[in-house]
């Protein structure tokens, strides 16, 4: 009797019956959930008594003074279970645990009759099941008891052993259909082996007739603690490779070996800069994994893996994540079966990976970082800083790289690119410049001015690359490029330039996808605001320029969420060789200063009443919780902000009011300020996001300054150059009214020296685009910029936050960025929109 197990009640006849029955693979009669729960019940010693009958068994379980039982009956070759509980899972689990206890009883009783005495109970508990082979034949009643030999080896699936009978110098399979039928004593050995193998977490394979331990974490403990006990009862044969498994998991280190190899194809530069040959070395201590082993390791995943020649191997989670990220990067960057060499800059900025670089590749990397040795001859019209910009783009092209020219607006990015076309012509290639539709005429005029011998064509519905395959400079709007997306897979360009590159800030947009499909030897992006909305804008630009440099989109966003500061620092280092950013203060010393100031505007009594009313109704509708309002009622939230902004500008913008001009404190102040300015002969540009507000300004100007020339550009203006030309050449004072949406690109208004922003909002980059229509090369006067902000309202609170928004852009490329998070700055909706005492006082004063 086993005093530490359940009480056992049986007869010799019942023992013999169950001995014969246990050769059947009885676990097949239970669901996996029943088997697993029964295993746990067996391991936890929940069975208190087993009673073996002639054809059945009763299994008793007791937990927390609660008793249940299950009856196991054989119906032919099938098991049936009855129980005191109606819970099917519990009933079958009790039966499974009971069958394991019966197996242990049979093994104890039968092995006690073998030479050498009984086998002691083995430690550990998880079970596996073995099949003895042909169970239709009866065992031999007598005969010699042969030694049972277990032959251990290590495979990719784990620790494995086969069982043989030793017969002289021969060995005979002990398991499976080919096995010679054993005697009763030998069958007892096999049942004992099955029981102890099961406890040690081995599982029997019906196909190979081998026992396998797949849980790699169990292998070292078995080899060190359990296997020595097995030597007392079985003959053992252990392969030399098994010894390495005793040490447990060994850490895999990875190293990237980067070298140059010759390569061709679009996107690699065309100047024999070579492609990147990247090899990964996987090392466990002093031993390296073969290519086949490394491939299997990657396929296996991050869990420990058994490599027969090395043992159990695993990789640190951070290195595994880096490896997976790099594999995605390489898939994205692969161009016609080659890897561009610029990816080495990403490797150097991944501190988790050791990098070895060949001498040729290292020399190339240093050449990219170095200034050009022999600058090309350049046109005389270029200013000094523009010459440096052209030399930089020329150098990148010569080294097979692509660049972001992020000069501040007004510094002549267009002129620099045209100079590059002239200094480094590719006479057999066609080029393409993609820009907003409103800027296409500007490019045509600038090319005709600086590069008159160049041939130009415009992409449109009736004219495309198939109708004119000649080597010309194609001018294409972003919309037309999207419409001609199907032609891009079979069309190659020398230079592909994206002007106002912030148009591809959304990587999911069809326009962006069309730009990604451009095939060119040299790619350029021009934009003064590469971070107009968020860091993902920058990822999208470099996905076009240098695919793979900033990693996959998912990894890029995950890195920002995990370690924003560290990622920003690493990001700046990665893009530094491929980005050139100059501001007016740095390079255009001849440009006069720009004076910016906030002009606080009063609220009239009508504005104050309407503001308070809309606030109250908005809070009642949306609640105080700004997070909930954004998540569940975002449309209502944005509608509320728009209404409040309209009230700050002019209550007549509200659909339910018809207010006189005098009800707008902002318009009154504007008219007052303009009096002195226009009387002195200055030109003024007035910007607003609301076209209806510009209409009100037009009416106010007509009423107060009827002789003042007035011009206008909105999204509805078809020929924008005409009013621009008239304004620029007008003698004396004049006013240009411009919608912010129409102001960002393609117009020059440097004849003006006063700028009014009627309704400044949270995107300083958009405002800068507008201001730079005036403060740009060619301006000879100091430019005064007034942001008209209504005191004590949401406008003033947003304006106070703008200084914080500038930090993001400065950290990466220098300039502005918009990465606005409402909940980061405001705890409640009331805190954002409330009307302060200052506003009330201004209303009383203006009244």
């Amino acid at each position: 009797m086993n005093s530490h197990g359940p009480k056992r009640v049986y007869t010799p006849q019942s023992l013999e019956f169950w001995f014969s029955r246990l050769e059947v693979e009885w676990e097949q009669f239970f669901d996996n959930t029943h088997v697993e729960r029964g295993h746990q019940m067996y391991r936890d010693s929940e069975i208190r008594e087993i009673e073996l009958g002639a054809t059945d068994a009763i299994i008793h379980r007791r937990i927390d003074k609660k008793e249940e039982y299950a009856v196991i009956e054989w119906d032919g070759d099938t098991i049936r279970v009855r129980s005191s509980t109606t819970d099917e899972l519990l009933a079958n689990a009790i039966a499974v645990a009971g069958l394991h206890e019966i197996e242990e009883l049979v093994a104890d009783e039968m092995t006690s009759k073998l030479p050498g005495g009984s086998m002691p109970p083995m430690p550990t508990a998880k079970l596996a099941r073995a099949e003895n082979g042909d169970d239709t034949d009866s065992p031999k009643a007598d005969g010699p008891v042969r030694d049972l030999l277990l032959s251990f080896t290590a495979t990719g699936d784990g620790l494995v052993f086969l069982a043989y009978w030793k017969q002289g110098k021969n060995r005979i399979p002990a398991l499976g259909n080919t096995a010679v039928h054993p005697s009763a004593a030998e069958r007892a050995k096999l049942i004992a082996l099955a029981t102890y193998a099961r406890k040690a977490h081995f599982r029997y394979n019906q196909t190979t007739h081998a026992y396998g331990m797949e849980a790699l974490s169990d292998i070292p403990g078995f080899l060190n603690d359990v296997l020595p006990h097995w030597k007392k009862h079985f003959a053992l044969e252990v392969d030399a490779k098994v010894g390495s498994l005793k040490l447990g998991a060994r850490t895999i280190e990875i190293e990237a070996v980067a070298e140059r190899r010759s390569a061709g194809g679009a996107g690699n530069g065309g100047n024999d800069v070579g492609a990147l040959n990247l090899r990964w070395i996987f090392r466990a201590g002093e031993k390296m994994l073969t290519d086949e082993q490394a491939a299997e390791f990657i396929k296996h995943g991050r869990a420990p893996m058994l490599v027969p020649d090395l043992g159990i191997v695993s990789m640190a989670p951070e290195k595994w994540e880096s490896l997976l990220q790099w594999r995605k990067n390489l898939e994205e960057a692969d161009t016609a079966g080659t890897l561009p060499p610029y990816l080495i800059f990403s490797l150097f900025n991944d501190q988790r990976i050791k990098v070895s670089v060949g001498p040729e590749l290292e020399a190339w990397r240093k050449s990219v970082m170095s200034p050009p040795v022999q600058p090309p001859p350049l046109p005389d019209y270029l200013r000094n800083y523009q010459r440096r910009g052209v030399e930089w783009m020329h150098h990148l092209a010569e080294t097979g790289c692509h660049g972001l020219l992020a000069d501040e607006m007004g510094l002549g990015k267009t002129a620099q690119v045209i100079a590059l076309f002239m200094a480094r012509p590719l006479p057999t290639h066609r080029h393409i410049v993609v820009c907003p539709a409103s800027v296409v005429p500007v490019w045509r005029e600038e090319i005709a001015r600086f590069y008159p011998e160049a041939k130009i064509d415009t992409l449109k519905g009736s004219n495309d690359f198939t109708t004119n395959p000649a080597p010309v400079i194609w001018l294409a709007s972003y919309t037309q490029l999207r419409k001609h997306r199907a032609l891009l897979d079979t069309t190659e360009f020398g230079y592909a330039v994206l002007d106002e590159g912030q148009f591809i800030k959304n990587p999911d947009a069809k326009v962006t996808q069309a730009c990604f499909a451009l095939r060119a030897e040299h790619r350029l992006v021009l934009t003064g605001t590469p971070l107009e909305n968020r860091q993902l804008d920058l990822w999208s630009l470099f996905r076009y320029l240098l695919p793979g440099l900033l990693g996959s989109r998912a990894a890029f966003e995950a890195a920002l969420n995990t370690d924003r500061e560290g990622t920003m620092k690493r990001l700046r280092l990665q893009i530094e060789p491929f980005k050139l950013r100059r501001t007016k203060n740095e390079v255009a010393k001849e440009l006069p200063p720009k004076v910016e100031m906030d002009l606080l505007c009063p609220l009239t009594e009508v504005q104050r009443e309407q503001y308070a009313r809309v606030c109250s109704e908005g809070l009642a509708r949306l609640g105080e919780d700004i997070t909930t309002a954004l998540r569940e009622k975002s449309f209502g939230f944005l509608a509320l902000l728009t209404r409040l902004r309209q009230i700050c500008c002019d209550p007549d913008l509200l659909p339910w009011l018809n207010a006189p001009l005098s009800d707008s404190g902002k318009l009154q102040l504007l008219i007052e300020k303009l009096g002195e300015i226009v009387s002195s002969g200055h030109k003024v540009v007035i910007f607003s996001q609301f076209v209806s507000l510009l209409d009100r300004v037009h009416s106010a100007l007509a009423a107060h300054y009827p002789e003042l020339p007035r011009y206008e550009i909105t999204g509805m203006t078809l020929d924008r150059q005409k009013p621009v030309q008239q304004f620029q050449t007008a003698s004396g004072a004049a006013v240009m009214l411009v919608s912010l949406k129409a102001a960002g690109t393609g117009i020059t208004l440097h004849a003006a020296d006063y700028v009014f922003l009627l309704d400044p909002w949270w995107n300083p980059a958009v405002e800068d685009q507008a201001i730079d229509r005036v403060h740009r090369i060619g301006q000879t006067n100091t430019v005064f910029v007034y942001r008209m902000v209504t005191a004590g309202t949401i406008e003033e609170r947003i304006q106070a936050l703008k200084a914080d928004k500038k930090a993001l852009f400065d950290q990466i490329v220098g300039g502005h960025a918009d990465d606005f998070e409402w909940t980061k700055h405001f705890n409640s909706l009331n805190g954002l929109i409330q009307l302060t005492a200052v506003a009330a006082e201004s209303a009383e004063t203006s009244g």
Side-chain angles (χ1 to χ4, degrees):
M1 287 274 183
N2 181 0
S3 60
H4 298 291
K7 180 181 179 181
R8 296 166 168 179
V9 179
Y10 58 93
T11 65
Q13 292 78 13
S14 63
L15 192 65
E16 183 63 29
F17 170 79
W18 283 98
F19 176 77
S20 64
R21 285 294 185 175
L22 289 178
E23 291 183 325
V24 175
E25 182 61 53
W26 53 263
E27 286 185 354
Q28 65 182 301
F29 302 125
F30 300 91
D31 291 343
N32 288 337
T33 53
H34 301 162
V35 172
E36 291 302 320
R37 179 67 183 91
H39 288 179
Q40 185 65 46
M41 195 178 292
Y42 172 74
R43 287 194 293 269
D44 294 343
S45 301
E46 295 182 12
I47 303 303
R48 290 291 176 258
E49 182 177 344
I50 56 175
E51 299 179 57
L52 300 189
T55 60
D56 61 11
I58 303 175
I59 312 301
H60 297 267
R61 171 181 180 261
R62 183 176 181 180
I63 293 293
D64 297 330
K65 297 183 179 181
K66 184 178 181 181
E67 295 191 12
E68 290 123 352
Y69 69 87
V71 179
I72 305 171
E73 299 177 317
W74 285 92
D75 184 4
D77 292 331
T78 304
I79 287 179
R80 289 192 299 120
V81 176
R82 294 182 290 113
S83 177
S84 61
T85 176
T86 58
D87 186 335
E88 182 183 3
L89 171 60
L90 179 59
N92 284 287
I94 294 173
V96 169
L99 284 165
H100 288 316
E101 293 288 359
I102 294 172
E103 282 186 324
E104 188 170 324
L105 166 61
V106 170
D108 287 345
E109 290 300 315
M110 298 306 289
T111 53
S112 66
K113 303 172 184 177
L114 298 178
S118 64
M119 298 176 65
M122 304 298 293
T124 77
K126 191 176 179 182
L127 308 175
R129 179 65 183 163
E131 178 60 56
N132 187 16
D134 184 357
D135 60 5
T136 60
D137 295 333
S138 299
K140 296 178 181 178
D142 53 16
V145 179
R146 295 167 292 182
D147 287 336
L148 188 58
L149 170 67
L150 309 182
S151 179
F152 286 84
T153 187
T155 72
D157 295 327
L159 180 64
V160 173
F161 73 82
L162 288 166
Y164 300 96
W165 295 116
K166 292 180 67 176
Q167 192 164 322
K169 294 183 179 180
N170 298 324
R171 58 177 65 184
I172 301 170
L175 302 171
N177 295 329
T178 61
V180 176
H181 298 301
S183 65
E186 288 173 341
R187 286 184 60 199
K189 273 193 174 185
L190 293 178
I191 291 178
L193 173 62
T195 299
Y196 295 127
R198 189 173 292 123
K199 290 182 179 181
H201 298 192
F202 282 92
R203 289 187 179 273
Y204 183 73
N205 188 304
Q206 297 283 359
T207 303
T208 63
H209 307 299
Y211 280 96
M213 180 179 286
E214 299 177 0
L216 301 187
S217 58
D218 293 339
I219 293 177
F222 171 77
L223 293 175
N224 291 311
D225 302 328
V226 179
L227 189 60
H229 294 284
W230 285 29
K231 289 180 180 180
K232 301 175 183 178
H233 310 287
F234 304 110
L236 301 180
E237 180 181 80
V238 182
D239 187 276
K241 297 177 181 178
V242 173
S244 61
L245 304 183
K246 295 182 179 181
L247 303 176
R250 305 174 68 184
T251 301
I252 292 288
E253 298 293 338
I254 54 174
E255 177 181 348
V257 179
E259 298 171 334
R260 270 181 60 182
R261 63 180 174 89
S262 59
N268 289 308
N271 284 299
D272 195 29
V273 297
L276 182 65
N277 183 28
L278 193 60
R279 294 185 295 111
W280 294 94
I281 294 177
F282 295 77
R283 194 189 307 274
E286 296 299 319
K287 295 183 178 181
M288 290 193 301
L289 273 66
T290 65
D291 291 343
E292 293 76 13
Q293 290 171 336
E296 186 63 28
F297 178 76
I298 294 172
K299 180 180 178 182
H300 182 76
R302 71 172 66 194
M305 170 184 165
L306 195 153
V307 179
D309 293 334
L310 300 176
I312 302 171
V313 295
S314 66
M315 184 179 290
E318 66 275 8
K319 292 185 182 294
W320 178 255
E321 290 298 330
S322 184
L323 177 64
L324 290 184
Q325 181 177 323
W326 260 97
R327 287 172 61 83
K328 292 179 182 178
N329 292 1
L330 298 179
E331 290 174 4
E332 191 167 279
D334 194 308
T335 305
T338 62
L339 293 175
Y342 61 72
L343 287 177
I344 193 65
F345 288 94
S346 288
L347 277 172
F348 270 109
N349 284 288
D350 191 337
Q351 302 301 319
R352 299 168 294 183
I353 296 179
K354 180 182 178 182
V355 183
S356 297
V357 180
E360 289 187 357
L361 186 61
E362 176 61 16
W364 173 86
R365 187 181 74 89
K366 290 182 177 178
S367 73
V368 174
M369 306 287 288
S370 304
V373 179
Q374 293 182 331
L378 298 175
D380 294 335
Y381 68 77
L382 294 172
R383 291 176 168 81
N384 287 334
Y385 73 88
Q386 292 175 328
R387 296 179 68 87
R388 290 193 295 273
V390 178
E391 291 168 0
W392 174 78
M393 290 186 289
H394 188 286
H395 179 62
L396 281 186
E398 288 293 306
T399 54
C401 296
H402 317 278
L404 168 65
L405 183 59
D407 283 349
E408 193 173 24
M409 284 166 286
L411 293 184
K413 294 186 287 292
T414 302
Q416 293 177 66
V417 171
I418 295 172
L420 175 67
F421 290 168
M422 298 168 62
R424 193 177 181 275
L426 301 174
T428 62
H429 292 69
R430 63 185 118 186
H431 312 309
I432 187 168
V433 175
V434 188
C435 58
S438 60
V439 186
V440 170
V442 177
W443 271 93
R444 182 177 288 277
E445 291 178 8
E446 294 288 279
I447 293 174
R449 174 186 173 192
F450 295 120
Y451 193 11
E453 61 270 29
K455 296 179 180 179
I456 308 171
D457 206 345
T458 303
L459 185 66
K460 50 191 175 183
S462 58
N463 189 46
D464 58 39
F465 314 126
T466 59
T467 57
N468 182 8
V472 302
I473 300 175
W474 282 92
L475 302 178
S477 70
Y478 283 99
T479 300
Q480 285 297 328
L481 187 76
R482 175 180 58 78
K483 292 180 177 179
H484 290 82
R485 167 64 181 87
L487 299 178
L488 300 181
D489 292 333
T490 56
T491 307
E492 295 195 10
F493 301 97
Y495 294 101
V497 182
L498 302 187
D499 189 14
E500 302 296 344
Q502 66 272 14
F503 270 69
I504 67 166
K505 60 189 177 184
N506 179 5
D508 297 321
K510 290 183 178 179
V511 164
T512 306
Q513 295 297 318
C515 292
F516 288 170
L518 283 168
R519 296 157 56 88
E521 286 194 10
H522 309 295
R523 296 185 290 274
L524 291 168
V525 169
L526 313 181
T527 177
T529 56
L531 279 184
E532 188 177 86
N533 286 306
R534 50 192 176 145
Q535 293 93 327
L536 187 60
D537 300 357
L538 194 68
W539 181 89
S540 190
L541 294 183
F542 277 89
R543 166 61 181 83
Y544 165 76
L545 285 172
L546 303 158
L549 180 72
L550 301 187
S552 68
R553 175 181 173 180
F556 182 85
E557 293 179 314
L560 284 171
N561 291 333
T562 303
D563 179 14
R564 188 181 185 87
E565 185 175 345
T567 300
M568 300 279 276
K569 182 178 180 181
R570 189 165 58 251
L571 178 61
R572 185 171 188 174
L573 290 173
Q574 282 180 279
I575 70 173
E576 186 62 30
F578 313 107
K579 175 268 303 177
L580 183 63
R581 167 76 174 179
R582 281 85 59 85
T583 65
K584 294 173 196 166
N585 290 337
E586 293 170 341
V587 299
K589 302 300 183 183
E590 69 272 28
L591 198 63
K594 174 176 60 176
V595 179
E596 301 183 54
M597 64 197 79
D598 290 348
L599 193 59
L600 291 181
C601 306
L603 280 173
T604 64
E605 183 62 28
V606 172
Q607 285 176 293
R608 187 193 66 77
E609 290 176 355
Q610 291 295 324
Y611 193 101
R613 171 192 164 189
V614 171
C615 276
S616 178
E617 292 175 351
L619 288 170
R621 186 170 61 254
L622 300 175
E624 274 286 348
D625 191 333
I626 193 170
T627 303
T628 302
L630 280 167
R631 183 178 64 249
E632 300 178 2
K633 303 174 183 178
S634 59
F635 182 81
F637 176 81
L638 295 176
L640 172 62
L641 299 190
T642 300
R643 287 283 180 253
L644 294 178
R645 294 179 61 203
Q646 289 173 331
I647 295 169
C648 290
C649 292
D650 181 1
D652 188 69
L653 300 182
L654 296 172
W656 58 83
L657 278 187
N658 185 11
L661 293 170
S662 58
D663 280 346
S664 169
K666 190 172 287 190
L667 290 183
Q668 290 185 53
L669 185 59
L670 174 67
I671 295 301
E672 177 186 325
K673 291 292 182 183
L674 287 177
E676 181 179 347
I677 295 171
V678 299
S679 65
S680 301
H682 294 282
K683 288 186 170 68
V684 181
V685 179
I686 300 172
F687 292 104
S688 174
Q689 296 181 57
F690 300 112
V691 175
S692 54
L693 181 59
L694 294 177
D695 293 339
R696 293 276 285 178
V697 174
H698 197 283
S699 299
L701 292 174
H704 290 83
Y705 308 108
E707 304 300 324
L708 180 67
R710 298 179 296 277
Y711 306 93
E712 188 171 15
I713 297 178
T714 68
M716 301 299 292
T717 305
L718 298 179
D719 183 1
R720 305 191 327 161
Q721 296 305 314
K722 182 178 179 180
V724 168
Q725 184 69 17
Q726 291 174 337
F727 176 78
Q728 289 283 90
T729 58
S731 60
V735 171
M736 173 69 82
L737 306 177
V738 189
S739 71
L740 275 177
K741 186 175 182 180
T745 58
I747 58 174
T748 294
L749 300 170
H750 55 49
D753 49 4
Y754 282 85
V755 175
F756 285 85
L757 296 167
L758 290 185
D759 47 308
W761 199 228
W762 63 74
N763 196 334
V766 173
E767 291 180 4
D768 285 352
Q769 283 181 315
I771 294 168
D772 284 333
R773 301 304 101 198
V774 177
H775 190 248
R776 60 194 297 113
I777 299 300
Q779 177 62 260
T780 58
N781 299 317
T782 297
V783 175
F784 295 90
V785 179
Y786 295 98
R787 289 181 174 83
M788 303 193 73
V789 180
T790 305
T793 68
I794 186 174
E795 279 192 343
E796 189 173 24
R797 276 185 282 285
I798 293 299
Q799 192 66 17
L801 291 172
K802 282 187 179 177
D804 296 339
K805 309 307 300 169
K806 187 174 180 293
L808 172 65
F809 193 103
D810 284 343
Q811 186 175 355
I812 298 179
V813 292
H816 289 312
D818 177 27
D819 190 33
F820 200 86
E821 298 175 12
W822 292 102
T823 55
K824 181 178 178 181
H825 300 287
F826 299 99
N827 294 324
S828 68
L829 183 57
N830 189 50
L832 169 64
I833 66 176
Q834 64 182 336
L835 194 64
T836 65
V838 174
E841 290 173 6
S842 70
E844 293 174 4
T845 302
S846 64

